[in-house]
Amino acid sequence: MTSPGNRHERLLGKVRDKVAGEERALLDWLRSRPDYRPRFQYFLGLLSDRRLSTIESRCERPVIRLLCVQAPLELIWAAGFQPVKIASGSSAEAQFSTLNWPALMCPLIKGILTNLETEAELAPGPWVIPTSCDWVVKFWEARQKVAPGGGEVQWLELPHLKNQPGSQARWLEEIRRLKKFLEKLRGRKIGREDLLQAVMALNRAWAAVIELKKARRDGRLASVWFLTILGAFFLDRLDRWTAEVEAALAELGAGQSAGPRIFLAGSPIFFPNFKLPALLEEAGLLTVADDLCSSERTTPGGQVFEDVSESGLLASLAGRYHQGCLCPTFGDNERRVNNILSQRRESDFQGVVFGVLKGCHPYDLESSTIEDTLKCQGLKFLRLETDYATEDRQNLLTRLEAFRHNLAGE
Ligand code: SF4
């Protein structure tokens, strides 16, 4: 007779196999593209083995598990850790659960919870969690059901009103607490020089990201490659990743823009779920910019400091990661729509495709207000609701093709 434990293990084994199949399919598709270059193999290699133990030995430093994008990465590098944003784009992981989660749940969070079961190494170890959306706030509680105990968590209570008096001071206090948490874990102080070095390393990486953005805008780099490169951001030492991006940029050919230009907004897109970017290509739409927290918003950008004392650096970092953040969970965040409008001046797109993951309420809620504002500014807008599964592929493609005709005035 099969025991429940054996059955559970067998189910988890099946999920692992399916995830490996999804990853292989995407990697094979990327390698078979006419615009594949051997230089891209570095990024594909990183994505093909994202185990934390591999990342730790690759980077020769312990990993800090992160959710969302509001924890200052510079502080984590300065403490001698490798920040790794934990995410899942796997359809098998998002669909699987032996526990009773809500029917309409953020697939990213559900995928991570499955990942905690299938990849046991994810569970123990330190986490940093900013209180962004409700799914993230409830993540730790859910995680305890899947993998009880193990690992410390440092919450960062995110002030959701940026312009409220005292909000910036409260966030700076959270960042100071994060610094103490990291120092305690590492058993040493984070000094001003550590911080400056990390800031400079990220500034160099950001300069490379700016060039990547230009290459995509000019049609020299397909959006799927942009997502691939940014998707590998946390998987190696920052200096090595940056050097590889610089080398890849030097080898890019001439631009070949084709099709109406669009801006991609909305819920994040994580490896190995490139359904939407692949469909955009197939429909003949050229994605020239985005505001995804898994892509252009992986980091908030480079920093220029007026005050280079330790407290000045900390205050400046805190401000950048809070005031500059485009997350839809803020109550007063006109920057989101203003960012799209200012990028339109730079990138000259005619329409916005807004992807909403089923169960991702913050992006879902804001899509209609963003739509109204952008339409008033003469931009065409298409909202697509989807999940990680492939069943709606044809339906999405038909709508994207109709949108292309609309943009092209056909
Ligand atoms: S913002 Fe959306 S995608 Fe991100 S964790 Fe929350 S619900 Fe999931």
Side-chain angles (χ1 to χ4, degrees), residues 133-271:
C133 75
D134 286 352
W135 290 117
V136 170
V137 171
K138 298 306 274 182
F139 168 76
W140 195 252
E141 201 177 311
R143 171 229 181 279
Q144 293 300 332
K145 282 183 83 169
V146 176
E152 294 172 74
V153 61
Q154 178 66 25
W155 291 101
L156 298 178
E157 193 166 357
L158 190 66
H160 284 276
L161 295 174
K162 290 183 177 185
N163 301 323
Q164 190 82 345
S167 138
Q168 290 188 51
R170 286 204 306 281
W171 179 242
L172 178 55
E173 204 41 51
E174 292 298 300
I175 300 309
R176 288 207 182 100
R177 288 197 317 111
L178 172 63
K179 180 169 178 282
K180 284 198 184 120
F181 172 76
L182 296 168
E183 288 175 338
K184 188 163 166 238
L185 280 179
R186 207 68 175 118
R188 68 168 171 84
K189 287 266 173 215
I190 302 170
R192 177 178 164 275
E193 285 309 311
D194 302 318
L195 267 176
L196 270 176
Q197 266 183 25
V199 164
M200 282 181 333
L202 189 68
N203 279 358
R204 181 181 155 205
W206 184 244
V209 173
I210 289 175
E211 293 306 313
L212 280 178
K213 287 165 67 169
K214 284 187 197 155
R216 175 165 69 166
R217 203 188 303 155
D218 303 345
R220 286 180 290 129
L221 183 73
S223 195
V224 290
W225 288 117
F226 189 90
L227 285 167
T228 300
I229 294 170
L230 267 296
F233 179 80
F234 292 104
L235 308 179
D236 197 2
R237 276 183 8 213
L238 185 59
D239 58 344
R240 205 152 43 203
W241 180 88
T242 307
E244 289 289 339
V245 174
E246 290 165 348
L249 279 163
E251 290 182 11
L252 293 179
Q256 29 172 285
S257 309
R261 298 160 70 85
I262 62 110
F263 182 93
L264 180 59
S267 305
I269 291 173
F270 288 106
F271 181 83

Side-chain angles (χ1 to χ4, degrees), residues 25-50:
L26 180 62
L27 292 169
D28 289 348
W29 178 71
L30 287 167
R31 282 194 196 98
S32 68
R33 290 170 58 94
D35 59 354
Y36 169 78
R37 291 167 186 277
R39 184 60 75 177
F40 293 154
Q41 179 50 37
Y42 163 78
F43 305 102
L44 300 185
L46 293 180
L47 286 166
S48 66
D49 188 354
R50 289 165 294 132

Side-chain angles (χ1 to χ4, degrees), residues 79-134:
F81 290 99
Q82 174 68 14
V84 176
K85 191 152 112 189
I86 304 297
S88 166
S90 158
S91 174
E93 284 182 338
Q95 281 172 27
F96 174 82
S97 180
T98 49
L99 293 165
N100 199 12
W101 303 127
L104 196 55
M105 180 171 182
C106 163
L108 165 64
I109 296 295
K110 198 165 170 210
I112 297 173
L113 290 170
T114 303
N115 206 243
L116 281 162
E117 284 196 84
T118 52
E119 304 295 335
E121 63 157 17
L122 192 60
W127 291 74
V128 173
I129 307 182
T131 55
S132 53
C133 75
D134 286 352

